[in-house]
Amino acid sequence: MTEISHDLLQPEMPPTRWGDPAHAGPLPDGVRDLVGLVFPLSDTPAAADVAVPAPQLAPDLVAGLRAVVGEEHVVLDDAVRRQRTRGKSTPDLLRQRAGDLSDAPDVVVRPGDHDDVQAVLDFAQQHRVVVVPFGGGTAVTGGLAPDREGFAGVVSLDLGRMRSLVALDPVSSTATLGPGLRGPEAEALLAEHGLMLGHFPQSFEFATIGGFAATRSSGQSSAGYGRFDAMVVGLRAATPKGEVRLGGTSPSNASGPDLRELFLGSEGAFGVITEVTVRVRPLPEVKEYEGWRWPSFAAGADAMRALAQGDLMPTVLRLSDENETAINLARPDAIGGEGSAGGGGCLMIVGYEGTTAAVAAKKAAVTAALTDLGGTPLGAEPGQAWVAGRFNAPYLRDSLLDVGVLVETLETVTFWSNRERLYAAVKAALEGALGDGTMVLCHISHVYATGCSLYFTVAAAGGEQPLERWLKAKAAANDAIVASGASITHHHAVGTDHRGWLTPEIGEAGVAVLRAVKRELDPAGILNPGVLIP
């Protein structure tokens, strides 16, 4: 077992903002002036010195938890509890900024290994205490705001002590990772052995291995490396019914339904993931990224489909629509400047990683295909700019919230034949709910032979009730997604925000299956109640 070096540990995110506080800042003057031409600006600082509600968990239960994991690993500190209140969606931050800390956990418990987790669940089940697994706190669909009614209290189960490379099988190209490892930490541990995982969602710097698994995350290199759930070959979990070990004995099998899928995407409702065994790959010798211009979003999407269906997928493949390209959202350092596509149209980012020979061959084939399809190559500069700013968008979101501009994202996924209908329906729903002046941007970020994911960014005037405005718009967008026959989520997960729209997608029988699994594995209902299951 290899522990992460202390030098690589990531900072805590502040309660009312995303990311590393050292990287946060006000809008640059030029961007502020540009935004002010579209939206009314007003300084909207977060509420200061708001008290965290007093812990509701009885002292004897706190003492019992200390007996389970050790006194120093049971924390009642207000600052720690505040940091573990909800996630990082815009509604989460708006509630925090308004001083609403009603979802604060009563206590933070930090287990050191699987046995500690199991012991906490056994104790919590006996005393009807809610347990909410906590990794990086990057949830954006309400997955960290449990229903506490009827329970003795709420424990935030912070998995941050479980951040090690548990085992490595370089012959089989598998690694077993602790659930508390953040993205950069996991990659650093693997890099010591010349290996990588290759999972880079926008939340990469702060999200954890356990969180990737529990939400079925998808990263920015999914075109080449696949979704996170496709990387998982085995996992270990603790449940109120006991330990579960799934997969990990073979690369594939026909031993009935694949029960790993019960925990991949389970959002802590069925158990706590304590180990994840993943497929790993050699570190790439070469990384190359470039830009392409397309005359329209539809033309670029058709080109992406041609690559996917022709088995010509690069490592990274992304396409911004006309609006997103025009404001340069692909490079936050240049927002408001000339769009990265130059001369209008839509910007595509294409990236290649691997051996020198493999990259050269794939790049030559993709270049020939995109040229034949009508794309215009823009060289390396747009690709390099995207790489430099690929994790920065949430910081920009916070800076816009600071001046009264409502900004949020949502995503969905559908078949290629339904893409244009879905795109138009979601845009119309958001513009109709938020009114004149609303800016709706979109990009395709994940591509399959059969379809693609659409990722929308929305900006609108916050007004006097920004939270209520967004909740209305989000509901309208969800309705449009369901009416269009698309999925309610591709990689953000269900949480509480999408729970009300899950039944039309999986059907009453599907919901009954989820409820049956919940009853069997968590009969007292202590695991993240109210999340995922309608």
Side-chain angles (χ1 to χ4, degrees):
M1 179 181 294
T2 305
E3 299 289 342
I4 188 72
S5 166
H6 181 76
D7 294 338
L8 292 171
L9 297 181
Q10 302 291 302
E12 290 273 11
M13 290 195 288
T16 59
R17 308 190 74 86
W18 173 270
D20 185 346
H23 296 163
L27 284 177
D29 289 342
V31 176
R32 184 183 176 106
D33 291 343
L34 176 69
V35 173
L37 295 175
V38 182
F39 304 112
L41 303 184
S42 61
D43 291 329
T44 56
D49 301 323
V50 177
V52 181
Q56 298 301 302
L57 196 64
D60 63 317
L61 296 183
V62 174
L65 288 168
R66 286 174 171 155
V68 170
V69 297
E71 184 170 354
E72 68 273 27
H73 302 308
V74 177
V75 182
L76 294 169
D77 181 77
D78 282 359
V80 176
R81 293 171 54 226
R82 184 191 300 267
Q83 285 176 321
R84 281 143 188 79
T85 302
R86 308 189 190 97
K88 294 299 179 184
S89 69
T90 291
D92 289 337
L93 295 187
L94 289 173
R95 291 185 175 101
Q96 287 266 22
R97 287 167 175 244
D100 176 3
L101 302 175
S102 57
D103 291 318
D106 298 305
V107 61
V108 176
V109 176
R110 292 169 168 156
D113 56 22
H114 173 92
D115 291 343
D116 278 356
V117 174
Q118 188 65 64
V120 170
L121 295 188
D122 293 344
F123 179 90
Q125 179 173 232
Q126 180 182 354
H127 298 284
R128 289 193 57 76
V129 177
V130 168
V131 176
V132 181
F134 184 94
T138 61
V140 293
T141 56
L144 295 175
D147 181 359
R148 64 188 301 153
E149 185 175 353
F151 294 95
V154 175
V155 165
S156 175
L157 192 70
D158 186 339
L159 301 172
R161 291 175 62 209
M162 301 171 64
R163 55 207 313 170
S164 62
L165 174 58
V166 178
L168 181 66
D169 180 352
V171 175
S172 304
S173 295
T174 66
T176 300
L177 304 172
L181 280 170
R182 294 186 183 182
E185 298 166 358
E187 293 292 358
L189 286 175
L190 292 170
E192 293 177 6
H193 302 275
L195 299 168
M196 67 178 292
L197 178 59
H199 185 66
F200 303 106
Q202 193 170 76
S203 61
F204 167 72
E205 295 170 303
F206 297 92
T208 62
I209 294 296
F212 294 154
T215 59
R216 298 182 71 195
S217 174
S218 193
Q220 295 169 346
S221 300
S222 64
Y225 299 148
R227 296 169 55 96
F228 188 80
D229 49 342
M231 300 176 182
V232 175
V233 298
L235 59 82
R236 185 185 189 190
T239 81
K241 278 292 189 74
E243 178 184 16
V244 174
R245 285 183 180 267
L246 299 169
T249 60
S250 61
S252 189
N253 62 68
S255 303
D258 189 348
L259 296 181
R260 286 175 301 179
E261 292 293 337
L262 289 177
F263 290 87
L264 295 172
S266 63
E267 304 183 49
F270 298 152
V272 180
I273 296 170
T274 57
E275 292 179 4
V276 183
T277 301
V278 292
R279 183 192 72 232
V280 293
R281 63 189 72 240
L283 286 167
E285 296 174 6
V286 176
K287 295 182 180 181
E288 295 186 18
Y289 306 92
E290 61 186 11
W292 286 77
R293 183 176 68 234
W294 296 91
S296 67
F297 195 43
D302 286 344
M304 297 176 102
R305 178 170 62 85
L307 293 183
Q309 294 177 348
D311 293 326
L312 282 177
M313 293 289 276
T315 308
V316 173
L317 185 61
R318 301 168 64 85
L319 175 71
S320 294
D321 72 357
E322 290 86 351
N323 286 345
E324 188 170 285
T325 299
I327 70 165
N328 237 346
L329 194 62
R331 49 180 304 173
D333 64 330
I335 287 176
E338 182 182 350
S340 294
C346 295
L347 174 67
M348 176 185 286
I349 300 295
V350 185
Y352 310 90
E353 298 181 7
T355 65
T356 301
V359 165
K362 178 59 69 72
K363 184 175 180 180
V366 170
T367 297
L370 295 182
T371 301
D372 288 346
L373 290 164
T376 302
L378 301 175
E381 196 277 337
Q384 293 168 348
W386 172 78
V387 170
R390 66 195 296 188
F391 304 127
N392 292 344
Y395 293 98
L396 176 63
R397 182 270 309 263
D398 291 354
S399 297
L400 289 166
L401 289 177
D402 289 341
V403 296
V405 178
L406 177 63
V407 181
E408 184 56 304
T409 63
L410 60 91
E411 44 77 37
T412 178
V413 60
T414 193
F415 293 114
W416 287 114
S417 58
N418 194 43
R419 183 198 61 79
E420 290 193 30
R421 176 190 177 205
L422 175 64
Y423 175 67
V426 174
K427 284 191 68 173
L430 291 167
E431 291 167 350
L434 291 168
D436 293 342
T438 299
M439 186 179 296
V440 180
L441 321 174
C442 184
H443 63 256
I444 296 174
S445 53
H446 307 281
V447 177
Y448 306 88
T450 54
C452 64
S453 170
L454 298 179
Y455 191 100
F456 294 88
T457 299
V458 189
E464 295 183 359
Q465 296 182 311
L467 176 59
E468 289 73 14
R469 276 172 56 73
W470 174 250
L471 293 179
K472 176 184 175 183
K474 174 70 170 177
N478 288 351
D479 287 342
I481 288 169
V482 170
S484 298
S487 175
I488 195 63
T489 178
H490 174 260
H491 58 271
H492 280 177
V494 175
T496 55
D497 292 2
H498 298 147
R499 183 187 59 202
W501 289 266
L502 185 60
T503 301
E505 182 165 337
I506 67 174
E508 294 289 351
V511 172
V513 170
L514 293 181
R515 290 173 178 167
V517 173
K518 178 73 169 176
R519 286 194 302 270
E520 180 60 32
L521 294 177
D522 181 21
I526 61 167
L527 285 169
N528 218 1
V531 169
L532 176 63
I533 303 171

